[in-house]
Amino acid sequence: MSPPHDFASDNHAGVHPAVLDAVAAANAGHVASYGADEWTARAADLFRRHFGEDARAYLVFNGSGANVACIDAVLRPHEAVICAETAHMNVDECGAPERIAGAKLLLVPTADGKLTPDDLGRWDSRRGDEHSAQARLVSITQSTELGTLYTAEEIAAIAERAHSMDMLLHVDGARLANAAASLDLPFADFTTDAGVDLLSFGGTKNGLMFGEAMVILRPELAPHAQFVRKQLLQLNSKMRFCAAQFEALLEGDLWLENARNANAMASRLEEGALECGVEIAYPVEANGVFAKLEPDAIERLTAASEAEHPFYVWDDAEGIVRWMCAWDTTPTDVDQFCALIASSVSSR
Ligand SMILES: Cc1ncc(COP(=O)(O)O)c(C=O)c1O
């Protein structure tokens, strides 16, 4: 019997079998390295199909690498990035944007992980002031670190404001597939066509073994992106194995099926939790459920679930826990976990 699926992270999931098959199929003979191969060419075509003819995809090893490479590709040394305080690049990348891209992050506290166009004006009074880092890039996460979503219109409004202030818009799309599935829109509708300039595209949480992409939607902004990728140590020599995974994901609907499942399981989990009287902390709009529990309920649930369905406490002070669903989470996983929630919140 395979081990149960947990709710700690969508990265705890394994690799989709079709992705493994694609890697095995690519494992034939000697092939040119560093992306000069037919798999990488086909993956590049697929990114153009999904994001528009101008899109240039540079495959990288991980999401932090994609974010830092995107920042480094478009920022000059005195320029800064506006992002939500909860942004992965702020809290979970060990200061890599600051150390590697040399970029100051300008942080916006938010209620739900989302920026608004008005947040972009906070640093405007220091524009042109040589004592102040100059805001040049806005980075939003879609879907957000708190499981919420921007609509296409909200993204277009942020892009419009950013451009009117001579700034660019980046999307951290580690979970872009979950966003597309939830919005029921093609990727381009809420990125390229909404005015996004560049993005980090996530494959790992969507069923790959590894692999993300720096996707430049306006190539004139970053003509040197390929050099940035190499300098930041994100150029994979056996690129065909990364590209073959993306081909498996993006050629048909695998990306969508995987994301839809993860999102549907999060909805099921939210319903189950609500039935137990649990308070949901943020709107459940993608594949994560954040719930507010009493400290003793967190303790009981942690003890009851640690063997089979562990999860993370997201915010100790606020009593918020995070339950993530993945491409392979099953209704049985969710129902078993909901039974543990029920007993943990009711036993006083
Ligand atoms: C919003 C977001 N961005 C980026 C990443 C990528 O991180 P990593 O560098 O671990 O691949 C993650 C992973 O958890 C994430 O949640």
Side-chain angles (χ1 to χ4, degrees):
M1 222 178 75
S2 66
H5 303 140
D6 68 45
F7 295 91
S9 167
D10 33 2
N11 276 349
H12 283 202
V15 183
H16 193 282
V19 172
L20 280 180
D21 288 349
V23 171
N27 192 29
H30 286 207
V31 165
S33 51
Y34 297 112
D37 63 79
E38 59 188 85
W39 290 267
T40 305
R42 286 196 297 268
D45 280 345
L46 287 168
F47 275 99
R48 278 192 287 272
R49 196 207 289 169
H50 284 289
F51 290 95
E53 264 314 296
D54 288 339
R56 300 283 176 273
Y58 302 88
L59 305 187
V60 296
F61 290 107
N62 56 48
S64 303
N67 284 342
V68 175
C70 280
I71 295 170
D72 201 52
V74 296
L75 245 58
R76 290 176 294 177
H78 60 284
E79 293 175 333
V81 184
I82 297 175
C83 64
E85 213 165 49
T86 44
H88 192 270
M89 64 171 62
N90 179 44
V91 289
D92 277 317
E93 296 182 5
C94 194
E98 293 92 334
R99 177 178 174 177
I100 309 296
K104 185 173 179 64
L105 300 184
L106 303 172
L107 306 177
V108 180
T110 71
D112 54 3
K114 291 168 59 176
L115 298 185
T116 66
D118 287 344
D119 292 323
L120 277 49
R122 291 174 182 224
W123 291 271
D124 211 36
S125 61
R126 304 297 301 271
R127 193 161 293 282
D129 175 352
E130 72 194 48
H131 301 283
S132 173
Q134 300 291 294
R136 169 70 173 149
L137 184 66
V138 179
S139 181
I140 60 174
T141 306
Q142 174 78 327
S143 54
T144 74
E145 291 79 0
L146 302 183
T148 53
L149 268 186
Y150 292 89
T151 63
E153 293 72 25
E154 286 171 331
I155 293 177
I158 293 173
E160 197 184 336
R161 185 73 64 90
H163 294 154
S164 76
M165 299 171 74
D166 195 27
M167 293 195 276
L168 305 173
L169 180 59
H170 165 258
V171 173
D172 176 347
R175 298 187 181 87
L176 206 71
N178 300 93
S182 184
L183 293 171
D184 198 20
L185 288 176
F187 288 117
D189 282 26
F190 61 99
T191 57
T192 321
D193 299 345
V196 173
D197 297 296
L198 72 171
L199 60 90
S200 307
F201 184 87
T204 314
K205 295 177 199 304
N206 196 212
L208 301 196
M209 181 185 296
F210 70 92
E212 317 273 305
M214 156 170 66
V215 186
I216 313 288
L217 300 172
R218 288 171 56 204
E220 71 278 11
L221 293 173
H224 53 293
Q226 76 201 80
F227 301 102
V228 171
R229 175 177 60 176
K230 177 67 184 184
Q231 280 200 328
L232 299 196
L233 317 177
Q234 289 284 330
L235 180 62
N236 183 352
S237 61
K238 292 193 179 177
M239 186 71 86
R240 66 173 139 153
F241 298 109
C242 186
Q245 296 179 72
F246 273 110
E247 199 182 351
L249 199 66
L250 295 176
E251 197 181 16
D253 278 348
L254 186 59
W255 66 272
L256 185 57
E257 286 164 23
N258 286 351
R260 273 189 183 148
N261 182 70
N263 293 353
M265 291 304 105
S267 296
R268 186 181 183 103
L269 179 44
E270 179 192 20
E271 264 173 49
L274 285 171
E275 275 168 26
C276 303
V278 167
E279 183 186 341
I280 301 299
Y282 310 113
V284 177
E285 295 174 337
N287 65 321
V289 180
F290 291 74
K292 218 169 163 162
L293 298 179
E294 295 297 330
D296 55 346
I298 294 180
E299 222 170 272
R300 281 192 295 270
L301 185 58
T302 301
S305 66
E306 69 188 346
E308 303 220 314
H309 301 295
F311 64 92
Y312 282 122
V313 178
W314 181 256
D315 183 334
D316 258 322
E318 295 292 324
I320 296 178
V321 296
R322 183 185 86 155
W323 301 324
M324 295 304 294
C325 297
W327 66 267
D328 61 349
T329 305
T330 66
T332 307
D333 295 321
V334 173
D335 296 348
Q336 284 173 354
F337 190 61
C338 286
L340 297 178
I341 297 173
S343 57
S344 302
V345 296
S346 66
S347 39
R348 298 192 188 272

